[in-house]
Amino acid sequence: MRIATMIISLVLMFIVAIQSLVVMAGSSMLEDQATSDAAAIGILLALLFLIGGAFVLGLPLVGLIVFTLAGLLGILAGSTSSFTDLTYWGIVALVLATLSYFGMREKRRKRAGSQQRVT
């Protein structure tokens, strides 16, 4: 579960980053400052996807926190700006947070099972 979450988040990180960069370039050409600011939040969202994906293997709780933060930020930014795709990316981040939670439970179970075999 944790490996799948990591791979999905890293792939989506590239998609979010590219989309946000294209939106930022387009809004800069059209001199739309509000959309450009929302695209900057999209780049931050991509960075949070990277951080969450990096921590989901070793420290799934950190991944859960980062993905939840990214989800809330994406939904908030997408609902208050013209870059509405951020709302969808926020929902995807919350799904990744859920997967990270299940990965955390899986890791805890494996650790408990290995400790029982040792003793």
Side-chain angles (χ1 to χ4, degrees):
M1 180 71 67
R2 291 176 290 142
I3 294 173
T5 305
M6 180 189 67
I7 292 171
I8 292 169
S9 70
L10 294 178
V11 168
L12 291 177
M13 182 266 309
F14 284 115
I15 295 171
V16 172
I18 290 170
Q19 182 185 24
S20 297
L21 288 173
V22 168
V23 168
M24 184 178 281
S27 63
S28 293
M29 282 191 257
L30 296 174
E31 298 178 1
D32 184 7
Q33 187 63 36
T35 306
S36 181
D37 292 343
I41 294 174
I43 293 172
L44 177 64
L45 199 69
L47 179 67
L48 290 174
F49 273 35
L50 175 67
I51 293 170
F55 280 109
V56 78
L57 275 179
L59 300 169
L61 179 62
V62 175
L64 170 70
I65 293 168
V66 170
F67 285 134
T68 303
L69 178 67
L72 296 175
L73 183 67
I75 291 171
L76 181 67
S79 63
T80 59
S81 71
S82 60
F83 187 20
T84 57
D85 286 359
L86 289 177
T87 303
Y88 303 120
W89 293 122
I91 292 169
V92 169
L94 292 177
V95 169
L96 288 172
T98 305
L99 292 175
S100 183
Y101 171 74
F102 288 123
M104 184 176 65
R105 284 183 30 193
E106 171 191 20
K107 185 176 180 181
R108 195 177 296 157
R109 255 189 255 139
K110 282 184 182 179
R111 192 178 336 145
S114 67
Q115 287 178 352
Q116 287 177 355
R117 280 187 249 143
V118 171
T119 55

